[in-house]
């Protein structure tokens, strides 16, 4: 007889602690939150996400504070450590009434099967209330603690961004804006922002991308006018640059390699009539996300479940006018959206990812027509996944000529990095790298 399933958690702090502990054990944060939240109301789910995302984002600094308050270190108690960090985060960084932060966090210990930790949790949080200023004053200057970033990543960011590494690290601990992309097939931007005005949703209109609207505050997509009808999508400003850089013209044959979740595929279709778009994705579940995205927007493309680099398994021999390679990468440019990246990535992952990126470039370049354009992109801030890969590729390809990316004076973004253009994370932009090549036989 199988054991009964545990009752779903209804204490938000207990759910948050379980999600944080799962991330520290190697699980994706969104998956961890979904696993612990089926019984929560919409409001409680929002609070859960605020706590869990904040604690994962600031884990090293919070864990340091917790250890300053412990008489002896916790051993093999990751769940309790996560719960204590959740409590300190509420007291330090959230507008939760202190009595609720302490009381609910103490109660969570029992629900987590750690009744012995109730007294510890209560004492530690109350001590933090009394000694917060002294604890903050003695925090060490190390970026690994203050910016809550693993040592290996701090080291690489310092090397790759010597003049601005502090702001790069700081950007990873901020909350990214919610940016929308207007589906110009359905509505123009001026008409859409008028609908936002009518709905009482604040926004700004950047000059950098012609289809973008940045919301003053994030809202549920259900509140966004026309989202369900496919008039608008959620897509970061840096990602919206891809379609413009590719410059597909009506009737062209276009390949979007590694296409999930489908935002760039959709944007390409929206910007030029009559494109013959092939979207390739190696993971079946992620291919389903592309299908859902295109279906909501009313777009059509040929979807292919395959490893884009294994061209023999899917390519039928007809070359492309344009190729977009939004390559799998470390995701270090989007840490502010996915703070679990800091704790899930390993230094050893980077050479393997760079090798995969170079493999894709080499495999897909022969599929490009003469005078065709290929755009290589990663949402990484590491040189090893950007300029280094580009240089290794071009050293072997005499037909590959860089088309230098020169943003217009009224819409400047990023910086030239010798080969391609990189974007520092922060403000309106996620961290990105872009390289544009033309095939000149």
């Amino acid at each position: 007889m199988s054991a009964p399933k545990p009752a779903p958690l209804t204490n938000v702090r207990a759910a948050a602690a379980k999600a944080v502990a799962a991330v520290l054990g190697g699980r994706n944060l969104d998956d961890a939150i979904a696993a612990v939240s089926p019984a929560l109301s919409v409001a409680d789910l929002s609070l859960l996400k605020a706590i869990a995302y904040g604690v994962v984002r600031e884990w090293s600094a919070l864990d340091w504070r917790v250890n300053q308050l412990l008489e002896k270190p916790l051993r093999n108690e990751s769940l309790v450590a996560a719960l204590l960090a959740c409590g300190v985060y509420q007291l330090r960084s959230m507008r939760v009434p202190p009595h609720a932060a302490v009381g609910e966090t103490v109660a969570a210990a029992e629900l987590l099967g750690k009744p012995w930790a109730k007294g510890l949790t209560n004492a530690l949080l109350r001590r933090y209330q009394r000694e917060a200023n002294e604890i903050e004053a003695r925090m060490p200057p190390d970026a690994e603690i203050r910016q809550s970033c693993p040592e290996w990543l701090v080291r690489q960011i310092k090397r790759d961004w010597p003049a601005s590494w502090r702001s790069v690290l700081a950007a990873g601990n901020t909350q990214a804006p919610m940016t929308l992309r207007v589906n110009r097939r359905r509505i123009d931007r001026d008409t859409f922002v008028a609908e936002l005005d009518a709905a009482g949703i604040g926004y700004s209109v950047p000059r950098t991308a012609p289809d973008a609207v940045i919301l003053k505050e994030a809202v549920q997509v259900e509140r966004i006018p026309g989202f369900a009808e496919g008039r608008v999508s959620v897509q970061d400003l840096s990602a919206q640059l891809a379609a413009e850089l590719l410059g597909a013209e009506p009737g062209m044959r276009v390949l979007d390699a590694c296409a999930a979740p489908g935002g760039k595929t959709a944007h390409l279709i929206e910007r030029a009539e009559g494109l013959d778009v092939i979207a390739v994705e190696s993971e079946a579940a992620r291919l389903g996300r592309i299908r859902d995205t295109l279906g909501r927007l009313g777009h059509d493309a040929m979807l292919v479940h395959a490893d884009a680099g294994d061209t023999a398994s899917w390519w039928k021999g007809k070359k492309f006018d344009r190729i977009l390679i939004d390559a799998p990468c470390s995701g270090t440019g989007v840490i502010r959206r996915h703070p679990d990246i800091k704790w899930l990535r390993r230094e050893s992952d980077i050479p393997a990812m760079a090798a995969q990126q170079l493999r894709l470039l080499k495999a897909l370049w022969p599929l490009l027509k003469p005078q065709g354009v290929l755009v290589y992109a990663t949402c990484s801030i590491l040189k090893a996944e950007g300029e280094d890969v580009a240089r290794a590729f071009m050293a072997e390809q005499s037909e590959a000529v860089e088309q230098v990316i020169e943003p217009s004076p009224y819409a400047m973004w990023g910086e030239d990095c010798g080969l391609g253009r990189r974007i520092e994370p922060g403000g309106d932009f996620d961290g990105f790298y872009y390289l544009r090549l033309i095939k000149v036989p």
Side-chain angles (χ1 to χ4, degrees):
M1 185 174 180
S2 61
K5 290 184 179 180
L9 291 171
T10 56
N11 179 298
V12 173
R13 281 75 178 179
K18 287 197 75 170
V20 171
V23 170
L24 299 176
R27 191 169 191 181
N28 172 280
L29 179 55
D30 288 336
D31 290 345
I33 288 174
V36 299
S37 61
L40 296 181
S41 66
V42 173
D44 282 348
L45 179 58
S46 178
L47 177 59
L48 163 61
K49 289 181 176 180
I51 296 172
Y53 266 81
V55 172
V56 170
R57 183 176 290 119
E58 300 183 22
W59 172 254
S60 291
L62 290 167
D63 190 50
W64 181 88
R65 293 180 177 100
V66 166
N67 279 285
Q68 297 300 298
L69 296 163
L70 289 170
E71 293 184 2
K72 57 182 180 179
L74 291 169
R75 299 194 183 280
N76 302 317
E77 289 291 351
S78 60
L79 195 54
V80 174
L83 180 63
L84 296 174
C86 288
V88 171
Y89 179 75
Q90 292 169 78
L91 293 172
R92 182 178 183 275
S93 304
M94 297 183 72
R95 290 178 290 182
V96 176
H99 68 87
V102 175
E104 289 294 312
T105 305
V106 170
E110 181 105 34
L111 293 173
L112 292 171
K114 305 288 184 179
W116 61 267
K118 291 174 65 177
L120 170 66
T121 303
N122 183 64
L124 184 140
L125 295 183
R126 295 196 181 281
R127 185 181 169 195
Y128 179 77
Q129 288 179 285
R130 296 191 303 269
E131 301 178 17
N133 290 338
E134 293 90 333
I135 291 171
E136 300 299 322
R138 64 174 183 262
M139 177 174 280
D142 311 60
E144 293 85 350
I145 295 175
R146 284 189 174 269
Q147 300 294 349
S148 288
C149 193
E151 184 277 333
W152 73 266
L153 186 53
V154 171
R155 179 168 22 89
Q156 291 206 16
I157 290 173
K158 284 183 175 180
R159 182 195 64 200
D160 292 351
W161 300 81
S164 56
W165 65 268
R166 290 179 179 84
S167 60
V168 170
L169 286 172
N173 292 331
T174 61
Q175 187 167 345
M178 186 175 190
T179 305
L180 307 179
R181 186 192 75 243
V182 175
N183 179 356
R184 59 172 68 183
R185 295 286 190 93
R186 299 282 187 90
I187 191 171
D188 63 80
R189 185 162 67 173
D190 289 343
T191 303
F192 175 69
V193 297
E195 294 183 357
L196 290 179
D197 285 330
I201 298 175
Y203 62 88
S204 63
V205 177
R207 295 185 300 174
T208 313
D211 302 313
V213 178
I214 302 173
L215 300 188
K216 297 293 186 184
E217 294 183 0
V219 300
Q220 297 290 329
V221 293
E222 293 80 9
R223 283 195 58 203
I224 299 173
F227 181 86
E229 294 79 19
R231 297 206 304 271
V232 65
S233 298
V234 178
Q235 188 181 40
D236 174 72
L237 198 59
S238 293
Q240 292 192 39
L241 299 172
E244 180 178 354
L245 293 175
L246 202 64
E249 298 176 4
M252 282 186 168
R253 181 171 169 81
V254 180
L255 170 65
D256 184 0
C258 318
K264 296 181 183 68
T265 306
H267 198 194
L268 289 167
I269 294 169
E270 291 163 9
R271 287 180 62 94
E273 295 279 354
L275 294 184
D276 178 14
V277 179
I278 313 295
V280 181
E281 175 54 47
S282 61
E283 297 182 24
R286 288 169 62 80
L287 191 73
R289 291 185 63 188
I290 303 174
R291 186 175 292 107
D292 293 343
T293 296
L294 297 181
R296 181 180 63 83
L297 296 169
H299 300 330
D300 186 43
M302 179 180 291
L303 305 186
V304 178
H305 179 206
D307 170 5
D310 180 15
T311 57
S313 70
W314 64 270
W315 184 50
K316 305 303 181 185
K318 187 175 181 181
K319 293 191 175 185
F320 297 91
D321 300 284
R322 298 287 187 269
I323 295 177
L324 172 62
I325 305 177
D326 185 14
C329 70
S330 64
T332 47
V334 295
I335 283 174
R336 62 182 187 167
R337 297 184 188 277
H338 304 285
D340 50 337
I341 286 172
K342 292 192 286 190
W343 316 117
L344 299 180
R345 290 284 179 264
R346 298 290 181 267
E347 185 172 13
S348 58
D349 295 338
I350 307 305
M353 288 180 170
Q356 167 77 333
Q357 293 148 11
L358 184 59
R359 181 182 75 91
L360 286 166
L361 273 166
K362 289 180 176 180
L364 296 174
W365 181 253
L367 279 57
L368 186 66
K369 292 179 180 178
Q371 304 303 322
V373 173
L374 181 149
V375 169
Y376 167 72
T378 63
C379 56
S380 172
I381 53 175
L382 301 181
K383 185 179 177 182
E385 298 180 279
E387 183 185 347
D388 288 355
V389 170
R391 290 194 184 283
F393 172 70
M394 294 189 69
E396 301 179 10
Q397 295 293 340
S398 60
E399 294 182 332
V401 176
E402 181 185 12
Q403 268 196 331
V404 177
I405 300 167
E406 295 179 344
S408 58
Y410 62 85
M412 292 300 294
W413 54 266
E415 62 185 41
D416 189 302
C417 56
L419 184 58
R421 198 166 186 87
R422 68 178 184 176
I423 304 172
E424 179 179 335
D428 294 341
F429 292 93
D430 284 348
F432 249 76
Y433 173 83
Y434 278 112
L435 172 72
R436 184 171 60 189
L437 301 174
I438 186 169
K439 180 178 277 189
V440 181

